[in-house]
Amino acid sequence: MRGGRRRVERSEIDRLRSAPDFPAGLRDRVRAVGTGEAAALLAVPPDRFTTLARTGHFSPVRFCLNRYRAVVWLYLAGELGEFALTHPGLLTGRLPRQIRERVDGGEDRRPRNWRARRLGLLLRSTEDPWARAAAIASLLDPGQLSEVVDDPHERTHLQRLRPEPPSGRTESAAARDIADRLTVADDPDEILWHRMSLALALDEARADRPAPRPDTAPAPAPAPDAPTPRPPRAPVLIRPPALRTRSSLLDRLRRRRATADAATEEL
């Protein structure tokens, strides 16, 4: 499903509950153990277990850092039991020369196998094509990513969907640096595989929908310069017409009185 947290199907829960050894058996199968306890479960020396783990016979389920900032790999006890049943010949006697030579050559597939395991869980946890592409992209360093994804908007979208850091992360800056290095692919074959996988995943994501882009609407044109305000005009003082009107009226009254007086004298 898209978005949200992946839910376990009810049928899968019912299947686990119906097992005759539930719940103790389930706890044993999902229990994570370190090298010492794992070697004890297989009844082999710790060095032999480490050799088999370095050559890829066991895939770590997670890791943590001890107080000395050394990586401690953890394995599922249930998978170790299955290995003991299917490969008993590797638990006793002298190890094959090919395995010894690979270890002498410095091979250590534990980080790569852990990354592959984690990627598988991430891909199964979502059906969103962009989230799946982001899970693959999280295994490539920025330089590799920019070569595969040349669109900066798509890279930004993938970064936004980047999975949460693994549980082995700590608050120490030095420890975070170690964990970050473990998260990114470092083997040439592994890098090539993830580059090809990312290219295919991007094709599916683009076919589903394009990556979101910022608003490209043109910016509004700047407002025209406001005209320079003119200084206020001095008020034009107009002589009140009432004064002129009153003067004319008095003149008319004077003339009218003068005319009346003249007529009286004639009488």
Side-chain angles (χ1 to χ4, degrees):
M1 68 180 196
R2 291 192 181 184
R5 190 173 181 178
R6 183 173 180 263
R7 298 179 180 276
V8 179
E9 297 292 339
R10 171 58 62 179
S11 58
E12 179 65 13
I13 296 177
D14 294 339
R15 185 186 69 81
L16 295 174
R17 288 180 176 274
S18 63
D21 59 351
F22 181 85
L26 178 61
R27 283 196 296 265
D28 289 339
R29 288 190 293 273
V30 300
R31 181 166 57 96
V33 296
T35 298
E37 190 174 357
L41 288 174
L42 298 180
V44 299
D47 290 346
R48 189 185 190 96
F49 177 85
T50 299
T51 296
L52 293 173
R54 288 171 61 93
T55 51
H57 291 84
F58 312 119
S59 294
V61 66
R62 65 175 183 268
F63 71 89
C64 60
L65 303 178
N66 62 19
R67 59 179 177 175
Y68 304 107
R69 297 175 186 169
V71 179
V72 178
W73 296 104
L74 301 174
Y75 308 85
L76 288 180
E79 293 183 356
L80 298 179
E82 293 176 3
F83 180 87
L85 295 176
T86 56
H87 300 84
L90 292 178
L91 302 181
T92 59
R94 187 174 177 82
L95 286 173
R97 185 182 64 180
Q98 182 182 9
I99 294 180
R100 299 195 308 269
E101 290 177 348
R102 288 163 59 185
V103 173
D104 293 340
E107 179 176 327
D108 188 355
R109 297 182 64 88
R110 290 174 296 181
R112 178 174 180 173
N113 285 351
W114 170 77
R115 287 190 292 267
R117 185 180 199 127
R118 179 169 181 261
L119 177 60
L121 293 174
L122 292 172
L123 294 179
R124 290 192 296 271
S125 67
T126 179
E127 297 179 1
D128 177 58
W130 279 106
R132 294 169 64 86
I136 302 173
S138 68
L139 302 179
L140 298 174
D141 63 37
Q144 297 286 344
L145 181 61
S146 62
E147 292 180 3
V148 179
V149 189
D150 55 2
D151 189 328
H153 301 298
E154 290 183 343
R155 290 199 301 271
T156 300
H157 189 47
L158 293 175
Q159 181 64 29
R160 189 181 301 114
L161 298 175
R162 187 182 182 89
E164 291 295 325
S167 58
R169 296 287 294 270
T170 66
E171 296 302 323
S172 168
R176 285 198 301 270
D177 183 65
I178 296 173
D180 288 340
R181 291 201 304 268
L182 290 174
T183 305
V184 177
D186 56 2
D187 183 83
D189 292 339
E190 181 188 9
I191 293 173
L192 178 60
W193 175 264
H194 292 316
R195 285 172 63 107
M196 296 173 59
S197 298
L198 178 57
L200 295 175
L202 283 174
D203 289 340
E204 296 181 4
R206 291 163 180 158
D208 182 74
R209 66 187 186 280
R213 296 177 179 270
D215 186 8
T216 56
D225 296 337
T228 304
R230 297 180 179 179
R233 294 181 179 179
V236 178
L237 300 179
I238 302 175
R239 184 174 295 178
L243 296 178
R244 295 197 301 269
T245 304
R246 184 179 180 183
S247 176
S248 300
L249 177 59
L250 291 175
D251 290 343
R252 287 197 302 271
L253 289 175
R254 288 190 187 103
R255 286 195 298 269
R256 183 179 300 174
R257 176 169 292 183
T259 302
D261 290 345
T264 302
E265 290 177 355
E266 292 178 356
L267 294 174

